[in-house]
Amino acid sequence: MQVVIASSEAVPFAKTGGLADVCGALPLELARLEITPYLIMPCYPQVYQSGIPIEQTGITLEIPIGNKLVTGKLLLGHLPIPPLADQASFNGSDEPPGDVPVYFIEQADYFGRKGLYQEAGEDYRDNCERFVFFSRAVLEALRKLRIPVDVLHCNDWQTGLIPALLQIEYRGVPGLERAVSLMTVHNLAYQGAFWHWDMVLTGLDWKYFNWQQMEFYGNLNLLKTGLVFADAISTVSPTYAREIQTSAQGCGLEGVLQNRRENLFGILNGIDESVWNPATDRHLTTRYTVTNFEAGKAANKAALQRELGLPTEPRVPLAAFVGRLADQKGVDLLLELLRLWLPHREMQWVFLGTGDARAQEQLRQLAGEYPHKLAVRLEFSDPLAHRIEAAADIFLMPSRFEPCGLSQLYSLKYGTVPVVRSTGGLLDTITDTTAATLLDQTATGYQFGDYHSLALASALDRALGHYAQPEIWRQIVTTGMRQDWSWGRSAREYQQLYRRLCSRAQSRLQLQ
């Protein structure tokens, strides 16, 4: 089976968020299965900073954009498979074992910029044109490469035009005759909505600009286009797949998703255990495993307390937040809780991240008032994020919505107990601690439902109560650390979905 993953970003070449983590890790895991994966993405300046050699293919792409022809080039690099990969899993690919081919669409006017989608907080005004070009270039590259594609896996609005182009223009192209398209939604809030005249840029007939296909309240909507034309839709957790069919979290597209519910699937993201693993993490003071986590976490906690200027108190509970300082992440609830608890509770807090200016200022002020209880770093530092995961006792994720979430999975791996709101992937990955889940040894964290600081406080109170009981706490930590949230598990689910889609497509072809 040959799978082409189209994405606007992927680690280690370019990243703004979790989309890049998924599209950098998934092809590597698919390569271990009976799948030959390819990745196609734009060639940004950041691509050359990855340290991975990039070479010319000699292939030129001429792409119609509105009434003009735009030229681009196709470049080639490779994602190296980590050493433990099963080399035999390349299943007859012409590529040398041990890497995944990555094709880059080079077009300096569109992609040779400082940012991927914006600069100085402002979206590029020609984002529609840039990613219409990319979508057409993906299909044109496949036509010229003559790769026999089984699955064309698209990701977010930047690739939303591809399923439509595949159905309308490219179905008869050699190599694409049997291709099925899968559209993965990583965050429904970002839809690629542009004014209606941008429909001209797509090159598609205006008849498709209607409320059932590409039009959305008078605008062109590229994510909706992908949702409508794709053979199937996936999103990054089973619960989020259900939530986005409701008016509360459907972002206006709940009707489209309800109509396609038979072809809508939720597959949880995984974590890269070659990067996030306390047994091998080079950022930690002391490495550890599930068998010696108590000593390992104690050493990392003391080191972090010294690093951040907090008192070195081994038994004072340390709670952490790492992420965007935004209401979507529940920072408004955390600020309310801090104001109530900092004066009276014997507890330490660590915040790492950037975001809303008001939230940043409030955290800065509180840290000034309570420097012995609250440490704030208004930046993003990946090494510090690793050290916080290893040092903290409790990790806080009180999100309004969370399509999947990765930090709670890192926390489980590092023996840091998550306190989360029961939404999206947080509900799917954290088992609430109750008398029943303690008895059957499945508890891994604490959940709360209502989006309110009192509900968060109640969940955190439960966690602190068990933190004071070492035997119970040890059970919760070890249960979480032993779970498998690797990309291998997620890739196997994608493999099953790909097979299902291909089987369905084959049956249709036989009937024709």
Side-chain angles (χ1 to χ4, degrees), residues 244-305:
I244 59 178
Q245 296 179 60
T246 68
S247 58
Q249 295 201 40
C251 301
L253 293 175
E254 59 271 14
V256 175
L257 292 159
Q258 288 165 13
N259 286 338
R260 302 229 54 202
R261 61 184 174 273
E262 298 301 319
N263 294 294
L264 173 58
F265 306 91
I267 298 177
L268 283 160
N269 289 337
I271 62 173
D272 185 345
E273 293 189 343
S274 69
V275 176
W276 290 93
N277 186 342
T280 57
D281 194 330
R282 60 189 176 85
H283 300 300
L284 306 189
T285 301
T286 303
R287 299 183 183 94
Y288 59 94
T289 68
V290 69
T291 61
N292 64 346
F293 78 89
E294 287 169 309
K297 286 190 70 68
N300 284 287
K301 182 175 182 177
L304 185 75
Q305 287 169 326

Side-chain angles (χ1 to χ4, degrees), residues 41-82:
M41 63 176 289
C43 188
Y44 309 104
Q46 296 92 323
V47 165
Y48 295 102
Q49 299 166 14
S50 68
I52 293 176
I54 309 297
E55 60 191 68
Q56 297 283 340
T57 65
I59 295 175
T60 298
L61 306 171
E62 292 187 329
I63 307 299
I65 299 293
N67 59 3
K68 62 184 177 182
L69 206 60
V70 181
T71 301
K73 292 182 179 179
L74 191 64
L75 310 182
L76 174 64
H78 292 86
L79 274 173
I81 299 285

